[in-house]
Amino acid sequence: MNDDTTPEAPVTDVSAPLPLAEAEPVPSGTDAPVAESGDDAPEVPGESAEERLRRLEEEGDIAADYLEELLDIADFDGDIDIDVDGDRASVEIRGADRLAALNRPKGELLDALQELARLAVQTRTGNRSRLMLDIGGFRAEHKGSLEELAAQAIAEAKETGAQVPMRPMNPFERKVVHDVAKREGLRSESDGDGKNRHVVIYPVS
């Protein structure tokens, strides 16, 4: 499955958080930031595992610096943890109770902050980032319910032998579903545009 990609931004120095007027967050229903159908971000040609790790750690550091400044400006408490998850940098804001409360129940604030962090990385490095952000474990909690929803659709596809379209989802949600389908040996693809983009589960042919 091929998703649209986002053009790379020109390389400029970032010494402070991007002003909101300059940032153009990708809506949560679009596809560019997250690889789907179980695939991670494409590796840089000729890049060794050690070089990839350093690149992803750098992405995490850039995003963390950016988010720390945003938290300071907004006067929010919170600690930032940086990790590498597969082929993506992973950043989590912990201990930010007020921020976590604003993010619930749909995670829209999380999506917006993630896009801003990715833009900060892209502006600094010139490379599109698939960095994943979490706030207070929101994604981890949400992932469990998504996996259950995917399992129900997979069971229906196996039982009926027909394709099963799911509700519209953002890129993170679709990737979770794609991963479950792949694990169960079924094919899945994303269909639709914008906020109507959704996953379709296909039965074994």
Side-chain angles (χ1 to χ4, degrees), residues 72-144:
D72 287 342
I73 291 171
D75 195 25
F76 282 115
D77 295 327
D79 298 318
I80 298 181
D81 292 342
I82 305 170
D83 199 359
V84 173
D85 182 9
D87 284 335
R88 290 178 295 178
S90 176
V91 177
E92 180 172 6
I93 303 175
R94 298 180 179 273
D97 294 340
R98 286 195 296 151
L99 192 67
L102 290 173
N103 181 56
R104 296 180 184 278
K106 296 183 178 181
E108 294 174 335
L109 176 61
L110 172 57
D111 286 342
L113 289 179
Q114 178 174 274
E115 296 311 323
L116 289 174
R118 287 174 173 175
L119 282 169
V121 172
Q122 181 173 328
T123 304
R124 177 74 65 84
T125 66
N127 297 319
R128 184 165 59 90
S129 172
R130 295 188 187 277
L131 176 142
M132 186 65 70
L133 175 66
D134 200 358
I135 299 176
F138 178 85
R139 288 203 189 280
E141 296 173 10
H142 195 36
K143 184 177 180 180

Side-chain angles (χ1 to χ4, degrees), residues 143 147-148 150-151 154 158 176-186:
K143 184 177 180 180
E147 289 178 333
E148 291 180 5
I154 289 168
K158 288 180 177 179
V176 171
V177 174
H178 285 308
D179 287 346
V180 175
K182 182 179 180 180
R183 188 168 66 233
E184 295 296 322
L186 270 68

Side-chain angles (χ1 to χ4, degrees), residues 1-3 35-39 174 178 188-191 197:
M1 179 201 61
N2 294 321
D3 280 327
E36 295 183 8
S37 59
D39 297 327
R174 294 197 303 273
H178 285 308
S188 62
E189 293 185 3
S190 290
D191 192 18
R197 195 153 176 82

